[in-house]
Amino acid sequence: MTTLTREFILSNLMGPNAAILVSDLCEGWLPERSRRVCDLGCGNGLTSMWLGDHVARTVFAVDLWNEAEENQARFDSHGYAGRIEAVHADALALPFEPSSLDALVSVDSYNFFGREEGVIDRVAASVRPGSPILISVPGLVRPLDDDMMKVFSASWTREQMDYIWTRDQWAELLGRSSSVRIDDISEQGCFEEAWSDWLSCDNEYARGDRAAFAAGAGELMNLLAIRLTRIA
Ligand SMILES: C[S@@+](CC[C@H](N)C(=O)[O-])C[C@H]1O[C@@H](n2cnc3c(N)ncnc32)[C@H](O)[C@@H]1O
C-alpha cells in the first residue's frame, strides 16, 4: 500500500479505490528496475504516487480530462516534485519517443479509450519490447443483457455500460494484436474492498453509483487485471 493517508486517498478517488487496484495489479508484475513508467489515465494521480513510492524513478502521469497543472501541483505538494511529471495527453497520441518507457500502467481508464482494434498497438509503441503493460478495468461476469441492465439502470445508462466488458471480450480484442502477448487476464480479488471505499465517499458520482449496487450490481461485475508484454 501507499504511504499516503487514507483520508487523502478517499478524497481523491474517481471510482473503485485506485490505490488498492494499482497495488494488486502491479505487485509481482512490475520489475523494480522500471525507471520510466507511464501511468495512463491517471485521473487525480493516486496511482502515479503509488508508482512513485514503489518502483519508478520517473512516473509520467498522463490524463485527458484532468488539467496537468492541477495534477502537478498535487504531486509537488506531496513531495513528488521531480519524480512525477503530469502530462496532458490523449492515450491515442502519447507524446513519448517510441520504445522509451520501461512500463505502462493504466487503472480504471483503458476501457474508456481502448475498446477499438489498434489502440493497444499505438499505446504499446511507447514501451520497450519485452516491457510490461498492466491494465485494470471494471468488468462484467457475463455479456451484458437486458436482465442485467435492469440492475445497472438504477445508476447507469446502456451507453455507459457499453464501456464495461467481460474477460473474454478483452481477451478476444487484445489477442488480435501482434504487438503484445497476453500474460494474464484475471479477476482481481480486491473487488469488495475497492468498491466499498468508493461507495462510501461523499461525492455525487459515488452517491449515484450506490443504487446499482443496492440493486445487485456487485454480483454482476468484477475487476479485471490485464497483464501484457510488448513483443514487437
Ligand atoms: C474513472 S477515471 C479514473 C482515474 C484514475 N485512474 C483512478 O482510478 O482514479 C478515468 C480517467 O480516464 C481518463 N481518460 C479517458 N479517456 C482518456 C484518453 N483518451 N486519454 C487519456 N486519458 C483518458 C480520464 O481523463 C479520467 O481521469
Side-chain angles (χ1 to χ4, degrees), residues 14 18 40-43 63-66 89-91 107-109 112-113:
M14 296 174 73
L40 183 54
C42 68
D63 203 67
L64 186 62
W65 303 342
N66 277 23
D90 190 323
V107 170
D108 195 13
S109 168
F112 288 100
F113 53 79

Side-chain angles (χ1 to χ4, degrees), residues 15 20 47 64 86 88 151 197 224:
I20 294 174
T47 43
L64 186 62
H88 184 256
V151 172
D197 280 351
L224 295 172

Side-chain angles (χ1 to χ4, degrees), residues 66-89:
N66 277 23
E67 294 299 332
E69 292 74 17
E70 203 175 307
N71 274 357
Q72 191 67 59
R74 190 177 305 107
F75 297 139
D76 294 353
S77 69
H78 284 82
Y80 295 94
R83 290 193 288 148
I84 305 181
E85 185 179 317
V87 178
H88 184 256

Side-chain angles (χ1 to χ4, degrees), residues 183-202:
D183 296 317
D184 174 56
I185 306 183
S186 54
E187 288 192 18
Q188 297 188 264
C190 52
F191 182 92
E192 292 292 337
E193 193 186 357
W195 270 101
S196 78
D197 280 351
W198 167 240
L199 295 173
S200 73
C201 288
D202 187 23

Side-chain angles (χ1 to χ4, degrees), residues 6-7 9-17 20 191-211 213-214:
R6 182 164 169 79
E7 186 188 8
I9 291 171
L10 293 183
S11 63
N12 280 285
L13 293 184
M14 296 174 73
N17 191 332
I20 294 174
F191 182 92
E192 292 292 337
E193 193 186 357
W195 270 101
S196 78
D197 280 351
W198 167 240
L199 295 173
S200 73
C201 288
D202 187 23
N203 78 52
E204 63 173 306
Y205 297 106
R207 283 194 297 273
D209 289 352
R210 285 180 203 156
F213 273 78

